[in-house]
Amino acid sequence: QTKKGCLMMSRKHYIVQAKLLSEWRERFYPRSEEFNSLVDDFCRYFKRDNSRFDPVKFREACGIAYLTEGVKR
């Protein structure tokens, strides 16, 4: 799939990114608010890349337990 001449990411790409982030969480981001901010940045980028991207699922895959109420999907 392409978007404006660029290759769009797919579910398998998001899964790999979430796995890497979750593995590095404890080692590099001992303060949860820093890690949450980083994951939020990834979510914004991925949503722009793919309108079907689900930020709630991605956050959960990264090990962040957000309350789903009021969170944009």
Side-chain angles (χ1 to χ4, degrees):
Q1 295 176 341
T2 62
K3 180 179 177 180
K4 297 181 183 178
C6 298
L7 187 62
M8 286 178 51
M9 292 178 49
S10 66
R11 180 190 293 190
K12 68 181 177 182
H13 297 110
Y14 302 130
I15 290 170
V16 169
Q17 293 292 326
K19 184 177 185 300
L20 289 171
L21 286 169
S22 65
E23 289 174 357
W24 286 41
R25 179 180 185 181
E26 293 298 319
R27 185 172 177 190
F28 295 103
Y29 296 95
R31 293 180 33 198
S32 63
E33 62 271 5
E34 291 174 345
F35 183 74
N36 293 354
S37 179
L38 175 68
V39 172
D40 288 344
D41 288 344
F42 272 86
C43 287
R44 281 189 291 277
Y45 175 81
F46 293 156
K47 187 69 174 177
R48 283 193 307 263
D49 178 64
N50 184 340
S51 62
R52 296 180 60 197
F53 173 77
D54 187 338
V56 173
K57 286 183 181 178
F58 186 78
R59 288 179 180 109
E60 290 171 354
C62 289
I64 298 174
Y66 275 105
L67 296 175
T68 57
E69 186 177 320
V71 175
K72 290 183 181 179
R73 281 187 177 250

